[in-house]
């Protein structure tokens, strides 16, 4: 399914379609594939309608020079929620997908969300003397040049062959060009979402992969220090893609979080 944004960009989304159920909206990380969410979607199928949004310049969404900034991605999410007339949405973002949701909260407040879930994304990408949990070795001395390097594989644990091959086919049919989307990565890296965590307008869950090649999972402790009300978890034997590497454990943690939300 597709919709056109107010800056004339066509975005793709999938929808399990059960309008009588509460809604989860998932957003993959930069260059990521919604196909990597298929097992998690199935695990939630009995209880939730599950929508996946392909951010601009990736998945099956349009490739464009327009809006290569996190604030525009937040507006894209809002436009999708308005189009589908959705409220009290559970928003789940992996990697930069989580940053898109933090940006949404910074612009719209609670908006149309009920809760937010972060899958392996530190709230600050660039390490400095006040924050040591950045992306790999990224700091102000090597920023932004380091962002042009090959980061290597994102996962640690084996990913189900069917899911992996589906993502591979999507990449073949809809190639992702990191150079064309580089401005978006730079904008993503510059952000600092710690204030949103401190004053979050919705309940929040932060999940890290214990073996993430991108982030030290101890960033969850720093998040907890910023706001003790934020729920955190670290998944063993898991890299940067909890929804694909450990979908059952990810589902278990999220389901427990959602069960305890106030209606």
């Amino acid at each position: 399914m597709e919709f056109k944004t107010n800056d004339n960009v066509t975005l793709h989304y999938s929808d399990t379609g059960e309008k009588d159920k509460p809604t989860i909206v998932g957003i993959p990380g930069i260059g990521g594939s919604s196909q990597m969410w298929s097992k998690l979607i199935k695990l939630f199928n009995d209880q939730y309608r599950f929508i996946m949004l392909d951010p601009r310049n990736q998945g099956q969404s349009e490739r464009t020079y327009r809006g290569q900034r996190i604030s525009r991605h937040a507006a894209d999410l809002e436009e999708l929620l308005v189009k589908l007339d959705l409220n009290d949405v559970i928003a789940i973002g992996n990697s930069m997908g989580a940053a898109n949701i933090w940006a949404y909260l910074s612009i719209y407040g609670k908006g149309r969300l009920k809760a937010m879930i972060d899958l392996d994304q530190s709230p600050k990408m660039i390490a400095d003397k006040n924050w040591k949990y950045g992306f790999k070795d990224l700091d102000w001395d090597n920023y932004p040049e380091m962002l042009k390097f090959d980061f290597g594989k994102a996962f640690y644990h084996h990913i189900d062959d069917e899911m992996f091959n589906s993502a591979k086919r999507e990449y073949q049919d809809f190639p992702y060009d990191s150079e064309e989307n580089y401005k978006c990565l730079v904008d993503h890296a510059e952000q600092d979402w710690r204030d949103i965590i401190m004053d979050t307008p919705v309940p929040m869950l932060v999940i890290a992969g214990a073996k993430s090649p991108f982030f030290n999972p101890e960033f969850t402790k720093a998040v907890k220090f910023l706001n003790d009300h934020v729920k955190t978890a670290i998944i063993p034997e898991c890299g940067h893609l909890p929804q694909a590497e450990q979908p059952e454990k990810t589902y278990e943690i999220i389901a427990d979080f959602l069960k305890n939300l106030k209606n």
Side-chain angles (χ1 to χ4, degrees), residues 51-99:
I51 296 168
M52 287 298 304
L53 173 63
D54 287 343
R56 52 183 64 205
N57 283 325
Q58 63 191 69
Q60 298 180 47
S61 287
E62 182 180 343
R63 273 49 177 169
T64 178
Y65 65 91
R66 298 188 181 103
Q68 291 192 27
R69 62 189 70 88
I70 302 300
S71 58
R72 179 64 243 191
H73 284 233
D76 293 343
L77 174 58
E78 171 69 0
E79 288 190 37
L80 175 63
L81 301 183
V82 170
K83 170 185 169 56
L84 299 178
D85 192 25
L86 296 173
N87 290 287
D88 293 326
V89 170
I90 310 298
I92 306 179
N94 174 224
S95 194
M96 194 184 77

Side-chain angles (χ1 to χ4, degrees), residues 192-203:
D192 181 348
W193 304 110
R194 289 176 293 178
D195 62 319
I196 303 302
I197 289 173
M198 292 170 68
D199 300 319
T200 178
V202 296

Side-chain angles (χ1 to χ4, degrees), residues 1 11-15 25-42 50-56 58-61 63 80 92 94 97 159 162-164 166-168 170-171 174 241 243-244:
M1 288 166 273
L11 299 184
H12 174 268
Y13 67 97
S14 62
D15 185 353
V25 172
I27 306 176
I30 191 166
S33 172
S34 295
Q35 302 301 317
M36 290 289 199
W37 294 64
S38 60
K39 284 216 162 188
L40 187 65
I41 292 171
K42 288 179 182 177
F50 211 120
I51 296 168
M52 287 298 304
L53 173 63
D54 287 343
R56 52 183 64 205
Q58 63 191 69
Q60 298 180 47
S61 287
R63 273 49 177 169
L80 175 63
I92 306 179
N94 174 224
I159 294 173
E162 181 180 354
M163 189 161 48
F164 185 86
S166 292
K168 186 176 180 180
E170 183 178 74
Y171 283 127
F174 304 93
L241 307 175
Q243 73 280 7

